[in-house]
Amino acid sequence: MRKTLSLILVLAMLLSVALPVLGSAEGAVADGVYTTTCHGFYGDFELSMTIEQGAIAAFDYSGNVETPELGGAALEMMSEAMIAANTSGVDSVSGATVTSAVFRSAVNTMLREIGAPDSMMAAPAKDEPAAETLETDVLVVGAGAAGLAAASGAAESGARVILLEKQDIIGGSFVTSAGIVYAAMDESDVDTMVAYYMDRANGNASEELLRFYAENSMDTIAWLEGLGVQWFMTVPAGTAAEPRAHFAMDENGRWMSGAVMSSKILAHLEELGVEVLTGTPATELLTDETGAVVGATAVCDNVTYTINAGAVILATGGYDASSEMKALYAPTAVTDFPLSSKGNTGDGINMGIAVGAATEFKGGMIGFDFVDGSLPESGYNAVAMYCNSYVQPDGTFVSDVIDYPITYQAIKDLGVEHFYGLYDAAGEQTVAAAMARGFAWKGETVEELAAATGMDAEKLADAIEQGTGLESAPYFAVMVKPCTIGSMGGLVIDTDAQVLSTDGTPIAGLYASGEVANGAFYDKEYPASGSSNSISMTYGLEAGRNAAAYAGK
């Protein structure tokens, strides 16, 4: 029987007075089903908690609208841990910290309202850590797009593979992406695609690495298709006219975001027998007397691992979630909010440097445009990308909307903290949610909008005249801030995905792919949606195959 919290509190108080023996056990709570509202990442939902014999017995969050592979997985993991430990004080699910935090907050609300003891909200005791040694042919560190592909490439080649992921959720920044995969249309498009990337990099990129990527990107598409990925559209991205950006769906016609695609690849790894350890960050690479990499150390809650491997692949992602790393390699992005994986703290870059790896940084980031990091529902931030044109804080025209990396770089180049994105009357519904939260403003006239935002009315009027699609009042301005969805720069690799040392020679037994080693592919401006996913998987597959061969498979 479902009860409201207020009714439970009244009954509990009456019982404690009339029948004191029932409350003789200190902190005992009444059995029942309690409910509250949980403020999820994608919207509110009802959460219920069942107490049986004074302990947490079950949760019901079936009405949630979280992404099943990310927030939904976190709800399941958090609820199972809370039930097992009989406390809300369990560790957050790394990789889904927002969902973890709101779930814990909702559970704590219910526990406090029913008078639960502090022990039901405290961190559970942990056992003393144990030491364990593992053996494998190929060790892959990091389970985003690059690591999932690398583990696949190695396992498909016959190697025993252990895949480590520091977070509790598989997928890294891939799960926060739209799952777009950029690839050459056919063999005749390779030269054009390479030229496009070189042009967007102002000539400051490795044509050799880009050519290998372009030539093999079509095989990456075919590999994904072999896993059941289908494409519902292929469209231009960036400033290129060619339709190279692949948007995926599965066999049921479901749009495959990065989260869905990650789960697809993970199922493939399970079929291949890959051992996956989550919540287990690698801490150090192991080398032999010749300097060859022969494994790594890693830690879990109660286990310290020594993993001996024939070869190691670093696929640990970038560094845009680390203020310290950004201060070193991309100072203009230090204050940018990271929308990427919170595990992007540069671990693999630092592990590579520790064994003599060369690095390449140019100060750029994979930049993005958003409204504000405090918004609980990510959809509100999309209004920063769909406006008609952008203006500076004083109303000076910047440009029409072209592509999010260009907008990001324009903000950086001008040295301002934010832009305003302009909408006309047709955008009223689009900006409504942002307005309700104080991130957008309305003006029945240009002068009224200028006054609301602090812009110069003459400059704003000129910007509206220059902007495309701004036809009728009322006008709206939404705040547009820079954020990141990844980083640029890292370890230097060759076309075999081998990590190169500072003297330019390969470090034996060490390979890398993805953001941890993407410095040679870009200058400062990200060229096109789907590039990072595609480069990560293309070089990940190559790293896996070559690492397996190095390990004798």
Side-chain angles (χ1 to χ4, degrees):
M1 180 177 65
R2 188 175 298 274
K3 308 172 184 177
T4 64
L5 286 171
S6 57
L7 176 59
I8 290 297
L9 287 171
V10 171
L11 291 174
M13 292 173 62
L14 290 173
L15 286 171
S16 65
V17 173
L19 300 170
V21 66
L22 293 178
S24 60
E26 184 179 359
V29 293
D31 289 356
V33 177
Y34 305 90
T35 64
T36 192
T37 298
C38 185
H39 304 291
F41 191 80
Y42 286 102
D44 294 350
F45 61 91
E46 184 179 90
L47 172 66
S48 68
M49 174 181 65
T50 300
I51 299 291
E52 293 180 356
Q53 298 181 352
I56 301 171
F59 290 102
D60 183 358
Y61 43 85
S62 56
N64 81 88
V65 290
E66 305 298 280
T67 304
E69 295 80 8
L70 190 56
L75 292 173
E76 181 178 359
M77 295 167 71
M78 289 285 285
S79 62
E80 289 177 352
M82 288 181 183
I83 292 167
N86 193 35
T87 176
S88 63
V90 300
D91 291 340
S92 295
V93 175
S94 53
T97 53
V98 173
T99 302
S100 299
V102 297
F103 182 77
R104 179 183 289 107
S105 176
V107 175
N108 283 341
T109 295
M110 291 186 285
L111 290 172
R112 291 191 187 100
E113 290 193 18
I114 63 176
D118 290 343
S119 61
M120 291 183 73
M121 291 172 274
K126 294 185 178 180
D127 298 331
E128 289 295 319
E132 188 173 340
T133 299
L134 303 176
E135 307 283 339
T136 191
D137 297 321
V138 176
L139 172 64
V140 181
V141 185
L148 291 168
S152 296
E156 289 166 359
S157 300
R160 294 175 301 152
V161 180
I162 292 177
L163 175 60
L164 300 183
E165 171 52 51
K166 70 182 287 186
Q167 303 203 106
D168 297 314
I169 299 289
I170 290 291
S173 293
F174 193 29
V175 301
T176 65
S177 79
I180 305 168
V181 184
Y182 200 83
M185 298 182 294
D186 51 39
E187 293 291 342
S188 67
D189 184 44
V190 168
D191 287 346
T192 306
M193 179 170 157
V194 172
Y196 170 71
Y197 274 93
M198 290 299 295
D199 180 65
R200 289 297 299 272
N202 304 304
N204 191 19
S206 169
E207 186 169 348
E208 180 184 21
L209 289 174
L210 284 170
R211 181 164 297 279
F212 180 90
Y213 154 55
E215 290 174 343
N216 290 275
S217 60
M218 293 168 286
D219 290 338
T220 300
I221 294 296
W223 173 71
L224 289 167
E225 290 172 346
L227 300 181
V229 176
Q230 302 176 39
W231 313 105
F232 68 87
M233 66 176 179
T234 306
V235 299
T239 58
E242 295 79 9
R244 303 187 184 109
H246 293 65
F247 286 74
M249 66 178 179
D250 63 16
E251 59 275 9
N252 298 314
R254 179 188 181 191
W255 170 54
M256 295 187 74
S257 64
V260 181
M261 206 177 296
S262 292
S263 65
K264 204 85 170 174
I265 304 173
L266 181 60
H268 177 59
L269 297 183
E270 291 172 349
E271 292 174 356
L272 291 169
V274 173
E275 182 177 359
V276 181
L277 301 178
T278 57
T280 309
T283 54
E284 183 181 14
L285 293 173
L286 301 175
T287 57
D288 64 13
E289 63 278 0
T290 70
V293 173
V294 294
T297 56
V299 296
C300 195
D301 280 343
N302 297 308
V303 181
T304 299
Y305 292 104
T306 297
I307 306 174
N308 299 317
V312 176
I313 301 172
L314 294 174
T316 52
Y319 58 90
D320 64 316
S322 167
S323 296
E324 294 77 15
M325 292 285 284
K326 287 189 289 188
L328 286 173
Y329 302 121
T332 62
V334 168
T335 60
D336 292 352
F337 186 88
L339 289 178
S340 62
S341 167
K342 297 304 179 283
N344 269 17
T345 54
D347 303 0
I349 294 171
N350 290 326
M351 283 189 282
I353 291 172
V355 297
T359 60
E360 183 173 9
F361 296 95
K362 301 166 189 170
M365 300 294 283
I366 303 179
F368 200 66
D369 318 325
F370 83 146
V371 175
D372 193 83
S374 67
L375 293 179
E377 208 275 64
S378 66
Y380 296 147
N381 285 309
V383 299
M385 296 173 58
Y386 299 147
C387 51
N388 297 92
S389 60
Y390 295 113
V391 296
Q392 294 186 42
D394 67 354
T396 301
F397 181 76
V398 176
S399 69
D400 284 336
V401 176
I402 302 172
D403 192 27
Y404 61 83
I406 295 175
T407 308
Y408 172 86
Q409 196 57 46
I411 295 176
K412 293 300 170 183
D413 290 344
L414 285 169
V416 295
E417 293 183 356
H418 67 272
F419 279 170
Y420 288 109
L422 300 182
Y423 288 84
D424 70 357
E428 185 160 9
Q429 290 300 112
T430 305
V431 303
M435 282 193 63
R437 294 180 177 274
F439 293 104
W441 296 265
K442 176 181 179 180
E444 294 294 342
T445 64
V446 172
E447 292 75 15
E448 189 175 308
L449 182 61
T453 58
M455 289 187 272
D456 181 278
E458 289 187 7
K459 291 179 179 179
L460 179 58
D462 179 65
I464 289 176
E465 185 175 340
Q466 291 187 61
T468 301
L470 295 167
E471 298 176 353
S472 59
Y475 299 107
F476 302 87
V478 61
M479 183 172 289
V480 179
K481 295 181 180 179
C483 62
T484 57
I485 53 175
S487 60
M488 295 179 183
L491 307 178
V492 177
I493 59 172
D494 61 18
T495 55
D496 291 327
Q498 296 178 104
V499 176
L500 304 184
S501 67
T502 52
D503 66 8
T505 60
I507 297 175
L510 185 60
Y511 300 79
S513 60
E515 281 184 53
V516 71
N518 70 2
F521 296 92
Y522 317 115
D523 184 19
K524 290 186 177 180
E525 192 173 279
Y526 188 59
S529 292
S531 297
S532 186
N533 287 340
S534 188
I535 291 170
S536 295
M537 288 188 279
T538 299
Y539 272 90
L541 289 166
E542 186 69 10
R545 293 160 185 157
N546 292 334
Y550 177 86
K553 298 298 175 180

